Amino acid sequence: LLLFLKLENKTKGKLQKQICQVVLDHFEKQYTAELGDTWTSVRDVLTCPLCWQYAILLNKFSQSAELENTLHVKGYHPAFQGPLPYLPTSLKCYIRRTPGRFPAQKHQAGKLKEYYLLNAASLLPVLALEVKDGEDVLDLCAAPGGKSVAILQCACPGQFHCNEYDDLRSRWLKQTIESFISDPLVKLIMVSKLDGRQIGDLKPELYDKVLVDAPCSNDRSWLFSSHIQQATLRLIQRKELPSLQFQLLRSAIKALRPGGSLVYSTCTLSKAENSDVINLILNSCSNVMPVGISEMAKAVSQEFTFLSGTQQHELLVLPEKGRAWGPMYVAKLKKM
């Protein structure tokens, strides 16, 4: 317990980060226009790391009954309950209302980790994807690997292709897979470093399910950019992101088999990177149609706050105190 408290204090120390004023001013202008009054309460959570929450995704390949007992004692409960359209019993994720972070486990060669710490909202794209045993799956922008690990908690794909173009992030992805996935299954996972925009042409109509967790302006981390230069550069490059996201989606659609489905997700509130990109795809690709995910949203509305007025095939998780999950945008499409 002493070690746990020490770790908790160490984590608290790390959380006293400095807010980057350049980014905050930029967000203030954009999100006040896009979200109105809602932005004020979202901003209060995003700018206060001490009220952030972390979910604990259990690793079925390294199960520990003791860990589940500890979580119950510490006031954690399952994040997903109730009538979800898709909820494999093997997917176990725990959350609690109070902020704070369970201590992370270090990477040890040859030893699997028992759990993965993540933003609970990042499991919604995985639940929306509904992967079944034996399906061929592509995770197009897979690093750091949390969603890939979550997919493997849900089902055993026929083949599982995890791609990450960025060199450093690709190494991070490989380490995540090594830390969580047991040996025989690791052999079924193909990790590549291809440009995601070209995968559709390289591997046409090969997959039943594709996840595009696209590079985006990560609102949470950008607010704490440590260098003004880096922040300013990010804000300039932000204008280029929708074009990249559109190209990644076009590629993903080519890689999908007819009848297959695709989930697009980002961790930004930005309309330009979310519904605008999806609308552009729906307007320019005649072979895809939207798939409703409002049933899923309704089933988890106890634990997550959603922006109202979005369309049936999309959702946007808004962080609020006590339910500090998100931002997370999710949209689902099907190839005809």
Side-chain angles (χ1 to χ4, degrees):
L1 187 73
L2 194 67
L3 181 71
F4 184 79
L5 290 170
K6 268 188 186 163
L7 279 162
E8 272 199 321
N9 289 334
K10 201 170 142 188
T11 315
K12 281 203 175 89
K14 273 189 198 154
L15 291 178
Q16 310 297 349
K17 305 188 246 184
Q18 288 300 305
I19 288 167
C20 181
Q21 199 57 47
V22 182
V23 176
L24 184 59
D25 292 345
H26 181 90
F27 284 0
E28 195 72 51
K29 208 160 116 185
Q30 180 183 347
Y31 294 149
T32 302
E34 288 178 16
L35 301 169
D37 295 342
T38 312
W39 164 241
T40 314
S41 58
V42 170
R43 182 193 58 205
D44 290 349
V45 174
L46 290 182
T47 54
C48 169
L50 290 175
C51 57
W52 292 2
Q53 288 155 275
Y54 295 86
I56 298 164
L57 174 67
L58 302 195
N59 185 13
K60 72 174 182 187
F61 305 108
S62 171
Q63 271 180 332
S64 153
E66 196 188 335
L67 174 61
E68 286 202 63
N69 293 335
T70 306
L71 292 174
H72 285 300
V73 169
K74 291 192 173 294
Y76 283 86
H77 63 273
F80 303 105
Q81 298 170 55
L84 274 138
Y86 171 85
L87 183 62
T89 49
S90 52
L91 180 79
K92 291 185 173 183
C93 176
Y94 283 88
I95 58 175
R96 62 177 179 181
R97 292 279 174 177
T98 47
R101 185 177 190 152
F102 203 68
Q105 289 179 309
K106 280 200 162 53
H107 174 71
Q108 290 174 288
K111 192 173 187 302
L112 293 182
K113 293 186 182 184
E114 294 178 352
Y115 57 88
Y116 190 101
L117 298 179
L118 78 181
N119 185 322
S122 62
L123 291 176
L124 294 175
V126 174
L127 291 174
L129 197 60
E130 300 190 17
V131 175
K132 314 248 183 336
D133 286 345
E135 288 182 326
D136 296 326
V137 182
L138 166 64
D139 188 348
L140 192 69
C141 317
K147 292 181 183 70
S148 299
V149 167
I151 286 169
L152 291 167
Q153 301 303 315
C154 294
C156 180
Q159 55 165 313
F160 191 24
H161 180 179
C162 299
N163 182 66
E164 179 53 54
Y165 186 46
D166 182 88
D167 200 44
L168 189 70
R169 288 172 64 84
S170 177
R171 288 206 291 274
W172 191 4
L173 168 67
K174 279 186 180 140
Q175 192 181 58
T176 302
I177 289 170
E178 271 168 37
S179 292
F180 286 92
I181 310 306
S182 56
D183 233 0
L185 197 57
V186 167
K187 294 182 176 63
L188 297 178
I189 304 167
M190 179 177 123
V191 179
S192 67
K193 286 201 303 192
L194 300 164
D195 182 338
R197 293 169 292 190
Q198 289 161 4
I199 282 185
D201 289 326
L202 295 169
K203 299 182 178 290
E205 303 199 343
L206 262 189
Y207 303 99
D208 302 298
K209 302 277 163 79
V210 180
L211 175 64
V212 184
D213 185 39
C216 66
S217 46
N218 183 329
D219 296 354
R220 243 179 224 258
S221 68
W222 280 25
L223 276 166
F224 297 92
S225 306
S226 42
H227 305 289
I228 294 287
Q229 287 88 343
Q230 178 202 36
T232 313
L233 187 64
R234 276 175 168 173
L235 293 174
I236 293 166
Q237 289 170 339
R238 193 176 197 209
K239 296 182 183 71
E240 313 294 317
L241 284 168
S243 158
L244 170 65
Q245 291 154 346
F246 177 77
Q247 289 170 331
L248 288 169
L249 274 168
R250 284 279 294 268
S251 173
I253 291 162
K254 283 182 187 170
L256 259 187
R257 293 188 176 122
S261 47
L262 173 155
V263 168
Y264 173 74
S265 60
T266 73
C267 50
T268 179
L269 299 160
S270 174
K271 188 172 163 291
E273 296 175 52
N274 294 341
S275 45
D276 287 0
V277 174
I278 291 295
N279 288 339
L280 194 57
I281 281 288
L282 288 170
N283 291 331
S284 62
C285 303
S286 56
N287 60 342
V288 289
M289 59 173 280
V291 178
I293 51 173
S294 47
E295 280 300 302
M296 177 183 82
K298 204 162 77 197
V300 298
S301 59
Q302 284 289 295
E303 303 292 354
F304 298 90
T305 305
F306 297 104
L307 178 69
S308 57
T310 55
Q311 297 177 85
Q312 290 283 311
H313 60 275
E314 58 176 2
L315 57 85
L316 178 61
V317 179
L318 301 173
E320 63 168 40
K321 285 206 170 91
R323 299 198 282 192
W325 313 115
M328 180 61 55
Y329 175 81
V330 184
K332 186 169 184 178
L333 307 173
K334 183 176 175 149
K335 185 171 181 174
M336 306 307 288

